[in-house]
Amino acid sequence: VQLQASGGGLVQAGGSLRLACAASGSFFRIDTMRWYRQAPGKQRELVASITSGGRTTNYADFVKGRFTISRDSTENMVYLQMNSLKIEDSAVYYCNADIKRDIALNWYGYWGQGTLVTVSS
């Protein structure tokens, strides 16, 4: 199982980016999917999460009203629409997903490789 994140880049403050993360490989089911971020010298922090089927979303206070998480379960994708970007949003963004590879196995958290978002003034 692999998670592949994409969509990062350089953007001016106030601009927008859309991150995408695709799950591939052989698995039984994907449950909650999340976006984390880690800025240089800081701990990794949870940005947003979305449950299976997109029924429930949660956001960190610092992105509420600016970021939107969504998913396409048919394509095993999760997205993060980031609007009104601030300089302090600059970080490597990682996708994370709870995946059951087989009905007989436990859930396991998988990580993508990260995509760099740089917000300039």
Side-chain angles (χ1 to χ4, degrees):
V1 178
Q2 286 190 328
L3 295 178
Q4 181 72 39
S6 61
L10 175 64
V11 63
Q12 284 192 323
S16 298
L17 280 175
R18 188 186 191 218
L19 305 183
C21 177
S24 62
S26 177
F27 50 85
F28 173 67
R29 189 168 292 171
I30 303 176
D31 194 3
T32 299
M33 303 185 83
R34 307 172 186 87
W35 286 98
Y36 285 78
R37 71 185 188 186
Q38 186 168 20
K42 295 189 177 182
Q43 289 190 330
R44 191 172 297 189
E45 57 187 0
L46 179 63
V47 175
S49 65
I50 184 166
T51 57
S52 176
R55 286 184 292 271
T56 303
T57 58
N58 285 289
Y59 297 91
D61 287 343
F62 51 78
V63 303
K64 279 182 181 177
R66 300 188 298 122
F67 291 10
T68 302
I69 189 170
S70 60
R71 67 190 287 174
D72 181 345
S73 296
T74 62
E75 298 291 333
N76 298 315
M77 301 281 295
V78 64
Y79 304 96
L80 187 68
Q81 178 66 43
M82 305 186 295
N83 299 328
S84 302
L85 282 162
K86 304 176 181 179
I87 292 175
E88 52 263 41
D89 292 321
S90 296
V92 177
Y93 284 72
Y94 299 90
C95 57
N96 166 269
D98 297 333
I99 298 176
K100 185 184 280 278
R101 291 180 57 192
D102 184 90
I103 192 170
L105 299 177
N106 291 328
W107 294 97
Y108 184 81
Y110 288 85
W111 291 89
Q113 86 288 2
T115 185
L116 178 63
V117 172
T118 303
V119 185
S120 65
S121 59

